Amino acid sequence: MDVCYLDHNATTPIRPEAETAVLDALRRCGNPSSVHRAGRHARQTVEAAREAIAALVGAPPDSVILTSGGTEANNLAVRGCRRPVVAAATEHASVLSAIGGLRTLPVTERGLVDTDILEAWLAAADEPPLVSVMLANNETGVIQPVRVVADIAHRYGAIVHCDAVQAAGKMQVDVGELGVDLLSLSAHKLGGPAGVGALVVKGDVPLEAMLRGGGQERSRRAGTENLAGIAGFGAAAAIGANRTDWRRIDRLRQGIEDGVRRVCPTAGIIGEEAPRLPNTSCIAMPGVNSAVQVIRFDLAGIAVSAGSACSSGSVRDSHVLAAMGVGSEIARTAVRVSLGWTSREEDMNRFLDVWTDIFLKARASRPAEASAPKTSAAEERMS
Ligand code: PLP
């Protein structure tokens, strides 16, 4: 059975160009710090990748610190700044758990940060903090008004960090336009390999290294570079968001949401009132637990996630949905569908068939509603 992969926010299939770059680098031996020819060649690979990564977000190459992924980039930003931290309540765990004493900024029901509260906090703060607000949320796809946040924060002398891990490769990301001081990226969310990422740091932002040792990454992140990973990241970054027709992906996502609503008008689409990434839909199926849905989808060859898959495969209540005021009853029925460059219309249709089947069977098994009219999955979709 072909797998219908609708979990691009968990990780993306590797782009062929990135795979080739990884394999080429793996086959070569050379430490980028060595002065001999093999070392120089490895150094060229790292610097070419750094340039592509910098270009992806409109930053100068020397602002890019290569890391082991988005988690390390977020930790480095939040801990390395040595300031009190204010972070949106819907941030990824790699921000929220990076440091103790962090203050969480509430979001509205649409999932957008409350900028009035931010401003009030900043005005009352003893010391200008680091403000961390992600560009796009991994569970809902909700896009934050990062520029607005940055302008407010800078008026009060704060430093602004943006976790752009989910956004990069799915929409245009430009550090200058966002007006942020620090920006996190991760290769495996944009068609590169897992285990490599970057923190982009504006020139004058002081940052204390977390990993110390050799002087790699200009002493901001010690450790021999992950050459193959970095090469793959560079190749994926060079493709960026440009090769995928995101309007087509948006239409598929719309098709999924319309199809679900035709079958069940009360199905919840979480975050739909806010600007969202074109690929993400967080769908609550009334009455059916998300873990059950994920298993049923998996048995039908469809990969989707319940809540955030970044944790451990375990299904816990989502802090993102809770912060948006989504009640636990509904949150526990939410499944995240995330499309990407490999997604096709067949995937949308297959998902809708299985969604409909799960929903109708669950409805039929509930005594009070057992008499409701039954329709086949295909008929439901056509109607
Ligand atoms: N930030 C966001 C928004 C994410 O979705 C993830 C992973 O899913 C991360 C950070 C962590 O990135 P990585 O998996 O590269 O450590």
Side-chain angles (χ1 to χ4, degrees):
M1 177 169 36
D2 270 1
V3 173
C4 169
Y5 188 76
L6 300 178
D7 206 10
H8 283 244
N9 288 10
T11 196
T12 50
I14 194 158
R15 291 271 190 186
E17 293 86 341
E19 186 178 326
T20 304
V22 168
L23 294 175
D24 281 355
L26 276 178
R27 287 187 192 116
R28 275 188 274 125
C29 177
N31 183 324
S33 298
S34 302
V35 289
H36 48 64
R37 186 177 308 210
R40 291 200 307 277
H41 192 181
R43 169 60 53 203
Q44 276 168 8
T45 301
V46 170
E47 296 316 320
R50 194 190 307 282
E51 278 176 27
I53 295 158
L56 174 72
V57 295
D62 65 1
S63 67
V64 174
I65 304 177
L66 296 163
T67 67
S68 65
T71 297
E72 187 191 325
N74 282 345
N75 270 258
L76 180 55
V78 168
R79 301 167 66 145
C81 265
R82 302 266 156 214
R83 293 209 186 191
V85 180
V86 172
T90 50
E91 292 303 299
H92 189 258
S94 55
V95 167
L96 295 177
S97 310
I99 200 164
L102 169 148
R103 205 168 176 194
T104 49
L105 183 64
V107 298
T108 63
E109 277 180 11
R110 297 162 73 208
L112 300 171
V113 283
D114 192 321
T115 48
D116 291 338
I117 295 184
L118 173 65
E119 181 140 26
W121 285 3
L122 290 168
D126 296 333
E127 191 188 342
L130 171 87
V131 175
S132 185
V133 173
M134 71 201 327
L135 187 49
N137 186 268
N138 41 306
E139 293 184 35
T140 60
V142 166
I143 297 172
Q144 297 290 353
V146 172
R147 177 78 217 202
V148 177
V149 167
D151 287 347
I152 295 172
H154 284 148
R155 278 208 296 279
Y156 294 89
I159 291 178
V160 182
H161 166 244
C162 176
D163 174 351
V165 162
Q166 286 294 346
K170 299 179 187 133
M171 61 184 274
Q172 296 304 327
V173 178
D174 185 288
V175 265
E177 279 173 23
L178 291 171
V180 299
D181 305 297
L182 301 153
L183 183 120
S184 301
L185 297 169
S186 174
H188 75 111
K189 307 289 185 178
L190 52 92
V196 58
L199 181 66
V200 179
V201 186
K202 215 168 137 186
D204 51 354
V205 173
L207 197 71
E208 199 168 295
M210 283 199 308
L211 298 182
R212 294 160 202 208
Q216 292 92 347
E217 298 301 285
R218 298 197 293 131
S219 297
R220 295 177 297 181
R221 197 275 182 190
T224 300
E225 294 86 345
N226 167 8
L227 189 66
I230 291 168
F233 188 6
I239 296 169
N242 294 330
R243 198 176 303 164
T244 307
D245 180 356
W246 291 105
R247 276 172 312 188
R248 179 182 73 81
I249 301 295
D250 198 7
R251 283 196 295 275
L252 292 181
R253 194 257 308 260
Q254 194 59 53
I256 285 178
E257 295 184 352
D258 291 347
V260 159
R261 284 262 167 77
R262 269 198 297 275
V263 179
C264 172
T266 57
I269 312 283
I270 295 156
E272 70 175 327
E273 306 290 323
R276 280 184 300 163
L277 286 175
N279 78 316
T280 310
S281 188
C282 183
I283 305 172
M285 180 192 287
V288 188
N289 184 279
S290 33
V292 171
Q293 290 181 60
V294 170
I295 293 166
R296 296 282 310 276
F297 276 116
D298 188 43
L299 289 172
I302 298 175
V304 291
S305 275
S308 170
C310 284
S311 35
S312 50
S314 64
V315 180
R316 291 172 293 154
D317 274 8
S318 154
H319 73 280
V320 173
L321 304 191
M324 293 168 75
V326 177
S328 171
E329 284 271 287
I330 293 176
R332 286 182 184 179
T333 67
V335 159
R336 176 186 69 189
V337 180
S338 51
L339 309 164
W341 63 277
T342 55
S343 303
R344 303 274 169 268
E345 199 170 327
E346 303 89 85
D347 300 320
M348 174 187 80
N349 292 336
R350 221 166 123 184
F351 173 84
L352 281 173
D353 281 345
V354 177
W355 196 95
T356 305
D357 190 51
I358 299 171
F359 174 71
L360 293 180
K361 285 197 175 122
R363 190 172 72 177
S365 70
R366 285 194 291 274
E369 292 168 21
S371 57
K374 294 184 191 105
T375 343
S376 78
E379 279 166 352
E380 292 279 2
R381 204 178 63 242
M382 308 290 273
S383 62

